[in-house]
Amino acid sequence: MHKRIKNILSGIVLLSTMTFLQSVGFTQESDMYMGAPVELVEAPNGAIANKKLLDRVDSATCLSPQILEPAEGIWTFCGFTLAPISVIDTDEGLIAFDTGDSKHDGDILLEAIRTVSDKPIKAIIYGHSHTAIGASVLAEGNEDVMVIGHPDLNAVVQENLLSGGAPAYFPEIGPYLTGRLAIQFNAYTPTEGPDAWVLPLVFPQVIESAFLPVNTPVENMQEMTVLGVKMQFLTKYGSDDKVHTAVWLPEREILFTTLLWMGPPQLYSVRGDVFRDPREWIAGLKEQRDLEPEVLISAAALPVIGKENVRRSLEGYLDGASFVLDQTLRGILGGLGPDDLRHFVQFPDYLDAVPNNIQAYGEISSYSPAIYYQAVGWYDNDAANLKQLAPIEESRRLVPLLGGRDKVLEAARAAMDKGELTWAGQLVNHLYRLDPQDQEARQLKADVLRQMAYVSTGGNDRAHLTSQALSLEGKVHLARLIPPGLEAISASPNTFVDYFRVRIDPMKSGETDSFIQFDFSDGTSSGLHIRRAVAEFVDEPGEHVRQPDITMKMSGETWAKLYLSQATPEDMIESGDLKVSGDPAEAARLINLFDRYSPQEALVIPPASLVQDHQ
């Protein structure tokens, strides 16, 4: 048996990582972050940007508000909000496809709609969950409006609205991803000047929901006539969530889709998110291509008109997604790890030229590592990386080897002068880790990040790069965590008792073994059993293996204030808002074993290397 395995292995050509990269033509010469030529220009709002982006982006999206009419009686409102919405005119009223990401979006869109029609909106179709939040504004108080969508959309929206924050595989870290989402959507970048955003990827400062629940759920391939318009609904495939609905008008060969974006399928969002399976996105694009639409109206890009243009757009787009997936898997088979893959998987020129493949939203260099981690995990199969130093320890050892602080600064500046921004950033980051208050290191890191932002094409990448540069200069404060509001926690207090468990501080809890029962004024209960370094969530306290040592009775709002560290348990006990059965002092001590949010919406003890910026 062993001899047979040996014979099989002898037939496999084992290439080193560098040999494999060279064998497929890998080169750094085209890396815009490592000195490849980039022409910088000024955008209309004064932003310094990569000319390639500004030259091409208007072929896929709108940089300013436009009302388009891709087919008779259909308007697309592009550039008014984060994503376009479309409206179908009928004799009986208007049908809206999507409604915006917030009540604020709904207000803007309704005002725009009223410039083309005074008819009431009598039907709303949700393309997916993210753009369902402006609906009640468009309905204008009409309780009879038909709301069409995926059967699971209501549950997803409700989960998003009442969760710990932005959608996450582990919802407990929602506040962390919400903090990163605020960066992604330019909460910290100026609207004008060199550091301004280029694409209007901006959320309003206050996100208020105007969601209307789906009252007419539709199944995949279901047919229905809506306000006299014959429709077929496609709900099998999604992209950035799992509750998408495409609409096919068979009599007019018009497709309303959520799968064609203004940039390549975003298989990973740098803010973090649940995994987006490229196979599902690709399958949906194939299904929609094979309908052979005459007109394609997208909820995330410009409309495409003409059967051949639509086919070419969809095919080039799905080929881009297939290329990223297949070449990532090919690279894995060739022995590449996640950091190698981000350089190995780059579009060939013909795919890069597809209008909707312009990397304006995200850049595909971040997608391959995400696929690798989903498929393989973090280990890159190099045993030397199996055990690693902590980053700060690595910096402590490397900086002296490189000649000390001044030599590293000099090398980083020289790399930046040559346009080797990635290398400059890595060098100066060693100094930043060792002393985050080193002003020269902070400023140089800010300068490097800013230059990377200018040459980038991805709006997400630019937002993160620029925001951190501004933070390093003390011009903005980046909240590490953005917790949910009082209303969300009050509405589901037991959910947040569960989430509270991950904030236990083992250094404080010590030898504690105590079971707390939480009784809420809505009649629900839950518990936390603290066993030294772990707090076990107990969904049914009455069925737990032991009786509670402490019972706390309170409203959902009181719990929300404790959860958000807006009040201390001692104050709540003294005011009577928190009633304790047992020792009040012990009850307060147990709550205080858990991390508190700081006034800056960050935990008291953030990662050591980021304390100075984000405490």
Side-chain angles (χ1 to χ4, degrees), residues 155-321:
V156 169
V157 171
Q158 207 58 22
E159 180 180 338
N160 290 345
L161 292 175
L162 298 179
S163 72
Y169 184 80
F170 294 105
E172 294 91 335
I173 65 167
Y176 176 65
L177 295 191
T178 303
R180 288 165 56 140
L181 180 144
I183 295 172
Q184 174 183 335
F185 289 106
N186 291 288
Y188 302 100
T189 54
T191 58
E192 295 181 343
D195 293 338
W197 41 262
V198 179
L199 300 181
L201 304 173
V202 184
F203 270 167
Q205 291 297 313
V206 178
I207 300 177
E208 184 180 350
S209 172
F211 174 65
L212 288 176
V214 170
N215 56 30
T216 310
V218 290
E219 301 290 342
N220 188 47
M221 306 304 291
Q222 180 177 338
E223 296 183 356
M224 183 190 305
T225 299
V226 179
L227 304 188
V229 179
K230 185 177 180 180
M231 297 181 173
Q232 185 177 47
F233 301 95
L234 309 174
T235 63
K236 185 176 180 179
Y237 302 109
S239 58
D240 56 337
D241 73 14
K242 306 302 180 186
V243 290
H244 283 240
T245 299
V247 181
W248 173 238
L249 309 186
E251 294 178 342
R252 300 185 66 183
E253 297 184 320
I254 295 174
L255 175 69
F256 292 81
T257 183
T258 56
L259 298 185
L260 181 70
W261 288 22
M262 66 175 175
Q266 191 173 32
L267 304 179
Y268 170 72
S269 171
V270 292
R271 72 168 184 270
D273 202 345
V274 294
F275 179 66
R276 300 172 177 182
D277 192 334
R279 296 170 299 182
E280 184 172 340
W281 209 321
I282 291 165
L285 288 165
K286 289 178 180 178
E287 177 185 61
Q288 294 181 11
R289 173 201 61 187
D290 293 346
L291 290 171
E292 298 185 343
E294 183 66 39
V295 177
L296 181 146
I297 299 172
S298 171
L302 288 174
V304 185
I305 301 170
K307 187 167 293 189
E308 180 58 25
N309 290 334
V310 173
R311 184 199 63 77
R312 193 163 49 240
S313 293
L314 287 176
E315 202 153 85
Y317 195 67
L318 76 87
D319 283 354

Side-chain angles (χ1 to χ4, degrees), residues 486-529:
L486 281 169
E487 182 181 349
I489 300 171
S490 302
S492 185
N494 293 297
T495 296
F496 291 92
V497 171
D498 184 11
Y499 295 174
F500 198 56
R501 75 183 199 284
V502 306
R503 289 162 59 178
I504 192 166
D505 183 342
M507 300 300 291
K508 292 180 180 178
S509 59
E511 301 295 319
T512 301
D513 184 353
S514 190
F515 177 33
I516 315 169
Q517 178 170 321
F518 298 86
D519 291 339
F520 296 108
S521 54
D522 64 0
T524 63
S525 298
S526 59
L528 289 172
H529 186 174

Side-chain angles (χ1 to χ4, degrees), residues 97 195 234 322 374-375 430:
F97 184 73
D195 293 338
L234 309 174
S322 299
Q374 177 69 18
H430 288 299

Side-chain angles (χ1 to χ4, degrees), residues 193-494:
D195 293 338
W197 41 262
V198 179
L199 300 181
L201 304 173
V202 184
F203 270 167
Q205 291 297 313
V206 178
I207 300 177
E208 184 180 350
S209 172
F211 174 65
L212 288 176
V214 170
N215 56 30
T216 310
V218 290
E219 301 290 342
N220 188 47
M221 306 304 291
Q222 180 177 338
E223 296 183 356
M224 183 190 305
T225 299
V226 179
L227 304 188
V229 179
K230 185 177 180 180
M231 297 181 173
Q232 185 177 47
F233 301 95
L234 309 174
T235 63
K236 185 176 180 179
Y237 302 109
S239 58
D240 56 337
D241 73 14
K242 306 302 180 186
V243 290
H244 283 240
T245 299
V247 181
W248 173 238
L249 309 186
E251 294 178 342
R252 300 185 66 183
E253 297 184 320
I254 295 174
L255 175 69
F256 292 81
T257 183
T258 56
L259 298 185
L260 181 70
W261 288 22
M262 66 175 175
Q266 191 173 32
L267 304 179
Y268 170 72
S269 171
V270 292
R271 72 168 184 270
D273 202 345
V274 294
F275 179 66
R276 300 172 177 182
D277 192 334
R279 296 170 299 182
E280 184 172 340
W281 209 321
I282 291 165
L285 288 165
K286 289 178 180 178
E287 177 185 61
Q288 294 181 11
R289 173 201 61 187
D290 293 346
L291 290 171
E292 298 185 343
E294 183 66 39
V295 177
L296 181 146
I297 299 172
S298 171
L302 288 174
V304 185
I305 301 170
K307 187 167 293 189
E308 180 58 25
N309 290 334
V310 173
R311 184 199 63 77
R312 193 163 49 240
S313 293
L314 287 176
E315 202 153 85
Y317 195 67
L318 76 87
D319 283 354
S322 299
F323 176 87
V324 171
L325 173 61
D326 294 349
Q327 291 302 307
T328 298
L329 301 182
R330 176 178 176 236
I332 293 172
L333 291 172
L336 302 186
D339 291 327
D340 302 312
L341 288 167
R342 70 176 71 249
H343 302 287
F344 170 61
V345 181
Q346 297 294 330
F347 276 154
D349 290 344
Y350 83 95
L351 284 177
D352 187 63
V354 173
N356 293 80
N357 280 345
I358 174 69
Q359 296 173 54
Y361 191 43
E363 296 178 13
I364 65 171
S365 60
S366 65
Y367 301 166
S368 292
I371 297 171
Y372 184 98
Y373 290 132
Q374 177 69 18
V376 181
W378 66 266
Y379 175 45
D380 64 359
N381 208 35
D382 183 344
N385 293 328
L386 196 54
K387 305 299 179 185
Q388 299 189 23
L389 293 172
I392 193 167
E393 185 62 28
E394 181 182 44
S395 297
R396 285 194 184 109
R397 293 168 182 267
L398 277 178
V399 168
L401 286 176
L402 295 171
R405 173 190 176 275
D406 292 345
K407 288 290 187 182
V408 173
L409 270 178
E410 182 183 345
R413 289 194 177 104
M416 183 177 170
D417 290 343
K418 291 191 292 185
E420 295 178 351
L421 303 175
T422 302
W423 179 230
Q426 290 181 9
L427 285 171
V428 75
N429 224 24
H430 288 299
L431 301 180
Y432 177 73
R433 285 195 196 110
L434 294 177
D435 182 6
Q437 289 304 314
D438 183 332
Q439 290 304 308
E440 279 190 279
R442 287 176 70 92
Q443 188 59 59
L444 181 55
K445 182 175 178 179
D447 293 342
V448 171
L449 295 181
R450 180 172 282 110
Q451 291 304 314
M452 293 176 82
Y454 292 166
V455 304
S456 69
T457 58
N460 292 352
D461 301 74
R462 182 184 178 99
H464 282 270
L465 292 162
T466 302
S467 297
Q468 288 196 18
L470 293 169
S471 175
L472 287 162
E473 294 171 336
K475 296 175 180 176
V476 299
H477 168 77
L478 304 183
R480 173 142 298 275
L481 304 173
I482 301 180
L486 281 169
E487 182 181 349
I489 300 171
S490 302
S492 185
N494 293 297

Side-chain angles (χ1 to χ4, degrees), residues 20-40:
F20 183 73
L21 288 171
Q22 291 171 345
S23 74
V24 295
F26 170 76
T27 173
Q28 288 282 9
E29 293 176 2
S30 60
D31 189 340
M32 59 190 176
Y33 299 108
M34 282 296 290
V38 175
E39 184 178 353
L40 298 179

